[in-house]
Structures are given as structure tokens and as C-alpha cells.
């Protein structure tokens, strides 16, 4: 029980990432999306078909290429030619919160797009733990 309480207090006091900056409305995050099945990134059209069979919402995306690791990159159908979201007021919660500096996003290797106007910063400086 004591260990559980210690763990809980340490977790509460640990540094967290916070989001800073602003959106430059470049649309890059809506056209370079990587999907995962479990912890594995989607790399083939067959895997994408699997996803679409699993959840019809994946039909809102199309393949626009591959990154250097052969992960498929997807673009959202709702992205207009001038980088605006055509369903802005009805977009998913994920889109509303993006980029969300959750620990799982960062520990799973999630990165912001090159040139994104946002950046992540720890809410506590290293010095605050040793002073
Ligand atoms: S990549 Fe960053 S700056 Fe560009 S649209 Fe997405 S959130 Fe905004
Ligand atoms: S719904 Fe809008 S904000 Fe969400 S990925 Fe598509 S274009 Fe981007």
C-alpha cells in the first residue's frame, strides 16, 4: 500500500509535456497521417482494407504515399485544396485535440510534422527537481 501511495505521489509530481505555439494552418498533419494496427504501422493496401472493414471511418482517408520507413501516409478527404478542413465544425475530437502531448503519444515515437507551429515543452525544468 505504501509503495502504491509513493508511486501515485511521484506520478503526480513528475514532469508532463505541455503544448505551446500555434497552428499555421499548413494542413500537413491532415495529409501525412500514419495509422496503426495495434503497435504496427500500416504498410500495405491489404492492411488498409482490414482497417476499413474494421471501422468505416477509415474510408474518409486515401493513401498519398509512403515515408522513408515504408509506412503508408494518408490524407483526409475533408482537407480542401487551400488546406482548410471542410468539416471544421464537425471534425472528430482527435482532430480538435491535435497535437495532444499525451505521454503515450511521445513514448510511442509520435512526432510533430516538420514546420508545425506547435512544439512540446516539459512543464517543469530539470533544476526544479534538484533544488
Ligand atoms: S502541422 Fe501543425 S501547423 Fe500545420 S496544420 Fe497541423 S497542427 Fe497546424
Ligand atoms: S477532419 Fe479536418 S482536421 Fe481532421 S484530419 Fe480531416 S481535414 Fe484534418
Amino acid at each position: 500500500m505504501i509503495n502504491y501511495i509513493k508511486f501515485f505521489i511521484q506520478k503526480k509530481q513528475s514532469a508532463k509535456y505541455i503544448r505551446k505555439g500555434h497552428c499555421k494552418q499548413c494542413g500537413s498533419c491532415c495529409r501525412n497521417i500514419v495509422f496503426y494496427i495495434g503497435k504496427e504501422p500500416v504498410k500495405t493496401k491489404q492492411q488498409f482494407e482490414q482497417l476499413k472493414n474494421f471501422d468505416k471511418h477509415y474510408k474518409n482517408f486515401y493513401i498519398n504515399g509512403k515515408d522513408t520507413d515504408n509506412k503508408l501516409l494518408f490524407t483526409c478527404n475533408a482537407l480542401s485544396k487551400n488546406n482548410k478542413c471542410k468539416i471544421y465544425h464537425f471534425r472528430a475530437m482527435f482532430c480538435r485535440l491535435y497535437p495532444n502531448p499525451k505521454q503515450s503519444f511521445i513514448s510511442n515515437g509520435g512526432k510533430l510534422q516538420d514546420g508545425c507551429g506547435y512544439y512540446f515543452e516539459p512543464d517543469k525544468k530539470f533544476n526544479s527537481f534538484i533544488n
Side-chain angles (χ1 to χ4, degrees):
M1 184 65 177
I2 290 289
N3 282 343
Y4 176 77
I5 293 169
K6 273 190 197 166
F7 171 78
F8 185 73
I9 292 171
Q10 281 170 352
K11 196 165 167 48
K12 272 274 180 217
Q13 291 176 338
S14 65
K16 298 188 180 42
Y17 281 97
I18 49 173
R19 183 177 73 183
K20 292 202 166 171
H22 66 280
C23 182
K24 296 196 273 186
Q25 301 186 353
C26 65
S28 182
C29 55
C30 307
R31 76 166 78 83
N32 291 298
I33 300 165
V34 175
F35 290 133
Y36 285 80
I37 298 180
K39 291 197 168 182
E40 291 302 313
V42 172
K43 291 187 170 179
T44 65
K45 282 182 184 172
Q46 289 87 336
Q47 288 174 313
F48 184 39
E49 290 306 314
Q50 255 180 281
L51 275 182
K52 286 192 281 189
N53 288 335
F54 171 71
D55 185 334
K56 65 177 171 35
H57 287 101
Y58 285 103
K59 291 181 181 170
N60 294 329
F61 300 88
Y62 63 91
I63 299 169
N64 79 3
K66 283 188 173 191
D67 72 0
T68 48
D69 295 331
N70 275 333
K71 294 197 245 353
L72 288 179
L73 297 173
F74 295 89
T75 295
C76 177
N77 283 322
L79 185 67
S80 73
K81 286 201 174 95
N82 60 355
N83 294 325
K84 302 278 182 225
C85 176
K86 291 188 263 184
I87 55 165
Y88 186 77
H89 295 291
F90 304 99
R91 71 198 189 287
M93 189 54 75
F94 179 84
C95 302
R96 291 168 194 267
L97 297 177
Y98 183 89
N100 185 355
K102 277 196 333 194
Q103 196 56 44
S104 57
F105 176 79
I106 292 163
S107 59
N108 284 332
K111 288 187 298 182
L112 296 174
Q113 299 290 322
D114 288 344
C116 178
Y118 288 114
Y119 59 97
F120 296 153
E121 209 173 71
D123 62 350
K124 290 181 186 173
K125 299 283 178 224
F126 181 69
N127 284 352
S128 70
F129 289 98
I130 51 177
N131 288 334

